[in-house]
Amino acid sequence: MPQKAAGSLALPWDTKGSRDAPRVGMDQVLLCVTVMLTIVGLIMVFSASAVLAGNRYHDSWYYLKRQCVWLMVGLSLLHVLSRIDYVWWKRVSLPLLGGMTTLLAMVLIPSLGIAANGARRWLGVGPISIQPAEMLKLGLVIYLAAYLTKKERRIQDFQAGLLPALLVVGFLSGLVLMEPDLGTVVVLGLVTGSLLFVGGASLSHLSTMVLCAVPIGLALVLSTEYRRQRLMAFLQPWNDASDTGFQITQSFLAFGSGGLFGVGLGEGKQKLYFLPEAHTDFVLALIGEELGFVGTGVIILLFVLFMVRGFQISTRARVPFGRYLGIGITTLIGVQALINACVVTGLVPTKGLTLPFVSYGGSSLVVSLAGVGMLLSISRDRHAGRGEMEHRSGHGWARDR
């Protein structure tokens, strides 16, 4: 068999010359959990939005049909990405992040960005709109995984290892804050901190980052009227239950009405113009009303199982990049699910973050499914990873397995 020319660029799906390596199937448990969450999401999106869509668009199926289209796009992307050697993403991490940065900048241009509810977060592409900040979350994880792989031996050096990554994250966070979207910045910060910790960053450096982030976060909240109102609604929601505390108190009523087993699928009352954003950010509250504590508990357990499986896949990756990428994607989805659950139960102030796989929202759904596709690729441990390990061993700096 002819040998591949030295220095040639391997395509992400190229597996020639590695047929002797063991092949494993993708992780079926992770895939099943993801499918179950998306199915629950379709059911609850229709239940939450049918009345609203019927009155607004004269089509009760409006939101469900759009979500189904995005789901097909997301599942197709999942299928493709699960068969691409995950190490390939390391090679394109910088161009990918650059493209997403460009999209973020385009959102801020009034003639290009679409404004809604006081924020400019969407780009219109024909009849559809995309949210670049959602794409940035996954793009930043890929970049940080590649960066930590390259700098893993110098990451404890603040100036040469940690500072460049923090400058990149800080710049991107600044663009997102201009939309404005503080919730996404919080997610980016938590995921970045988690990856830097796993990558071996100094605890003193990470502690300093946290101490600096707290006053900055407070300043951002207290300097903006609507954020101050959200903070006061979080601290004392019942003091102004008809105005600033309306959304969270209606969420409490939804959970309280559901009891142990719920009022029944489709029988919830809070979606009848009482609970704002019942099909997006607060879909978990509707699940609590219609499916009760038991139904909510099942959703939470599915996310816990997703995270456990994701971390197991990550730790079994043959190369550091696979470990960092898997941990980053799992943390991203887990952190966003946790924050969403805390918001709808009044444990943290209200943030505009969706529940992954479940809430209505095309960009969030597609990006989450794309992340799962990459996790499934890591679970297959394809041969590009083995080739990179052999290459790194040849240079004498591969990490012991």
Side-chain angles (χ1 to χ4, degrees):
M1 181 179 296
Q3 297 293 322
K4 185 181 295 185
S8 61
L9 179 62
L11 297 175
W13 50 83
D14 185 6
T15 58
K16 292 181 180 179
S18 55
R19 294 175 183 173
D20 57 330
R23 288 178 177 270
V24 293
M26 68 178 64
D27 191 282
Q28 297 298 321
V29 174
L30 184 75
L31 181 61
C32 288
V33 169
T34 301
V35 171
M36 291 172 66
L37 286 170
T38 55
I39 291 174
V40 170
L42 289 179
I43 295 171
M44 297 314 301
V45 163
F46 179 66
S47 177
S49 65
V51 174
L52 174 66
N55 289 336
R56 182 177 295 177
Y57 301 105
H58 307 290
D59 180 6
S60 299
W61 301 82
Y62 177 82
Y63 290 109
L64 178 62
K65 288 189 291 188
R66 292 174 68 88
Q67 189 77 343
C68 285
V69 171
W70 285 116
L71 178 59
M72 292 301 102
V73 173
L75 289 176
S76 300
L77 196 57
L78 181 153
H79 176 76
V80 171
L81 296 184
S82 70
R83 282 160 173 76
I84 291 180
D85 291 320
Y86 61 87
V87 174
W88 183 74
W89 295 104
K90 178 184 174 184
R91 304 180 185 121
V92 299
S93 59
L94 278 176
L96 189 66
L97 193 67
M100 293 180 180
T101 303
T102 302
L103 292 177
L104 275 178
M106 291 172 62
V107 167
L108 302 176
I109 301 175
S111 60
L112 298 177
I114 300 175
N117 298 324
R120 189 179 300 276
R121 302 176 184 173
W122 298 268
L123 281 177
V125 183
I128 64 175
S129 59
I130 59 173
Q131 194 170 353
E134 289 290 337
M135 302 163 60
L136 174 66
K137 295 173 185 176
L138 185 57
L140 185 62
V141 166
I142 296 172
Y143 166 77
L144 288 174
Y147 183 84
L148 289 172
T149 303
K150 180 181 179 181
K151 299 277 190 174
E152 58 184 352
R153 290 183 175 272
R154 291 186 291 169
I155 197 65
Q156 291 196 350
D157 184 338
F158 180 79
Q159 186 170 354
L162 199 60
L163 183 59
L166 295 181
L167 291 176
V168 171
V169 175
F171 174 73
L172 295 173
S173 297
L175 290 178
V176 175
L177 281 173
M178 293 174 67
E179 294 185 353
D181 188 355
L182 182 59
T184 294
V185 172
V186 171
V187 171
L188 294 178
L190 291 174
V191 172
T192 299
S194 300
L195 277 174
L196 291 176
F197 173 77
V198 172
S202 169
L203 288 178
S204 61
H205 292 159
L206 295 177
S207 300
T208 303
M209 286 170 49
V210 173
L211 292 176
C212 293
V214 170
I216 292 175
L218 286 176
L220 289 172
V221 170
L222 298 178
S223 63
T224 309
E225 178 65 24
Y226 78 91
R227 289 177 183 152
R228 288 200 302 269
Q229 292 178 352
R230 287 183 176 181
L231 179 61
M232 295 308 299
F234 162 69
L235 296 174
Q236 298 175 319
W238 297 101
N239 284 0
D240 194 7
S242 62
D243 190 8
T244 57
F246 182 76
Q247 190 173 34
I248 189 60
T249 54
Q250 293 301 314
S251 180
F252 292 158
L253 291 173
F255 281 112
S257 301
L260 186 60
F261 296 105
V263 299
L265 185 61
E267 300 297 324
K269 300 297 187 294
Q270 293 302 113
K271 62 191 178 185
L272 303 177
Y273 298 99
F274 291 104
L275 178 63
E277 309 296 339
H279 61 301
T280 56
D281 302 348
F282 278 73
V283 69
L284 189 62
L286 183 67
I287 292 175
E289 182 184 16
E290 297 192 350
L291 303 181
F293 177 80
V294 173
T296 306
V298 169
I299 299 299
I300 299 300
L301 287 176
L302 285 175
F303 276 108
V304 171
L305 179 57
F306 180 95
M307 292 191 67
V308 169
R309 205 67 182 180
F311 286 134
Q312 288 177 342
I313 291 170
S314 305
T315 56
R316 294 169 185 166
R318 298 186 185 183
V319 293
F321 177 73
R323 290 195 288 274
Y324 295 136
L325 180 62
I327 290 172
I329 293 171
T330 304
T331 303
L332 173 62
I333 293 175
V335 162
Q336 186 157 328
L338 177 62
I339 294 178
N340 181 274
C342 289
V343 165
V344 299
T345 53
L347 297 178
V348 298
T350 302
K351 300 291 181 187
L353 293 173
T354 58
L355 184 63
F357 309 116
V358 181
S359 293
Y360 174 79
S363 297
S364 174
L365 181 61
V366 171
V367 169
S368 297
L369 290 174
V372 173
M374 294 180 186
L375 275 175
L376 292 175
S377 175
I378 297 172
S379 74
R380 293 164 66 96
D381 211 6
R382 289 172 67 93
H383 313 307
R386 182 180 182 182
E388 183 184 78
M389 179 62 77
E390 292 170 350
H391 173 74
R392 299 174 75 179
S393 297
H395 285 76
W397 56 279
R399 178 180 289 179
D400 291 335
R401 288 183 289 174

